[in-house]
Amino acid sequence: MGSYVLRRVLQMIPVFFGTTLLIFLMVYTLPGDPVAALFGDKAADPAVVANLKHKYYLDQPLWKQYLHYMGNLFQGDFGTSFTGRPVTEIMADAFPVTIRMALMAFLFEMIFGLCLGVVSGLKRGSVQDTLVLVLTLLVISIPVFVLAYIAQTVFATNLGWVTPTVQDSTDLSQLILPAIVLGSLSLAYVARLTRTSIGENLRADYMRTAVAKGLPRRTIITRHLLRNSLIPVVTFLGTDLGALMGGAIVTEGIFNVQGIGNVLYRAINQKEGPTIVGIVTVLVIVYLVASLIVDLLYAVLDPRIRYA
């Protein structure tokens, strides 16, 4: 087990450097001068521009900029935004909001998605199964921004249960509706994935053996069917946590949530290279850690899996 974890951590190192290099190159090779953009339509003093480029290491070759950035990164320094504020400070303000909303969305998709998928998988061809298929297909077909506007219209404008936009991003009750919208698409995938996996395992030999041995139905479902059926679902859920955090840009923008998606959107518009690279780097780390945890969970769900 220990050697497996060590091997997986070692495998994460080239992935981390490869993704950060790719992100860095994509951000800093974009056309346009980010320092000149700070002055808008005003003519910038060349000496001031040169000083700013030197301050942000932009007057160096790209490979030197990357090495300088990575050197600072390993010391916990994500750089300074063009507004003069440390990127670490910006992320410290925004990430807790997005993490809270992503965790709420994750719980929503996991609980309701699994329940709908299990019911649908165990009762294939029934009315409940048809309803779940139609509902999930509907959710998958609707773009997130349309779903968000529908939710705002129904629950805020018509019913008055919530405010159309979030007034206080630290208030969990105000994050419920954005979290539901954020997790809806993943809920549909979890429900369909669970249904398909259960359908395949119901026809497996070990299930027929369990039935032939006369085991109670509850034991067959919980101990044999669900444990094996949840392996692909856990894989999806593990990687989806990072996707929820990274994909919150649209939802946060529509609901005015002051999270990392909003910060990232503004940073892209303003060509704030240090902020963009810093945020995406943290999201990459979240992805890598989540995938490691998912791999370790396989052995819990399926005892046949052994770590060599």
Side-chain angles (χ1 to χ4, degrees), residues 113-229:
L114 285 176
C115 290
L116 291 175
V118 170
V119 171
S120 181
L122 292 176
K123 299 184 176 180
R124 292 173 78 90
S126 66
V127 175
Q128 295 95 322
D129 182 32
T130 305
L131 282 175
V132 170
L133 289 178
V134 171
L135 178 66
T136 52
L137 181 62
L138 194 64
V139 172
I140 292 172
S141 306
I142 301 176
V144 173
F145 67 92
V146 175
L147 195 63
Y149 284 122
I150 293 173
Q152 280 180 324
T153 304
V154 174
F155 297 105
T157 307
N158 295 342
L159 298 176
W161 290 354
V162 294
T163 54
T165 55
V166 174
Q167 308 300 315
D168 180 6
S169 296
T170 60
D171 186 351
L172 287 180
S173 64
Q174 295 191 27
L175 294 178
I176 292 176
L177 189 59
I180 289 174
V181 171
L182 180 63
S184 294
L185 182 60
S186 298
L187 178 148
Y189 286 126
V190 169
R192 282 179 166 256
L193 194 57
T194 306
R195 175 186 181 274
T196 303
S197 186
I198 284 179
E200 290 174 354
N201 282 292
L202 277 174
R203 297 189 293 272
D205 291 340
Y206 73 88
M207 287 298 296
R208 284 194 286 271
T209 304
V211 174
K213 288 170 66 178
L215 294 177
R217 179 177 169 80
R218 176 177 295 181
T219 304
I220 294 173
I221 293 175
T222 56
R223 188 175 298 175
H224 299 284
L225 179 61
L226 284 183
R227 286 185 66 169
N228 290 291
S229 302

Side-chain angles (χ1 to χ4, degrees), residues 44-51:
D45 184 345
V48 175
V49 172
N51 282 335

Side-chain angles (χ1 to χ4, degrees), residues 209-258:
T209 304
V211 174
K213 288 170 66 178
L215 294 177
R217 179 177 169 80
R218 176 177 295 181
T219 304
I220 294 173
I221 293 175
T222 56
R223 188 175 298 175
H224 299 284
L225 179 61
L226 284 183
R227 286 185 66 169
N228 290 291
S229 302
L230 287 180
I231 292 176
V233 182
V234 168
T235 305
F236 176 82
L237 287 172
T239 53
D240 194 51
L241 184 59
L244 287 174
M245 295 179 63
I249 296 177
V250 176
T251 309
E252 289 186 358
I254 293 173
F255 287 96
N256 190 37
V257 179
Q258 300 303 311

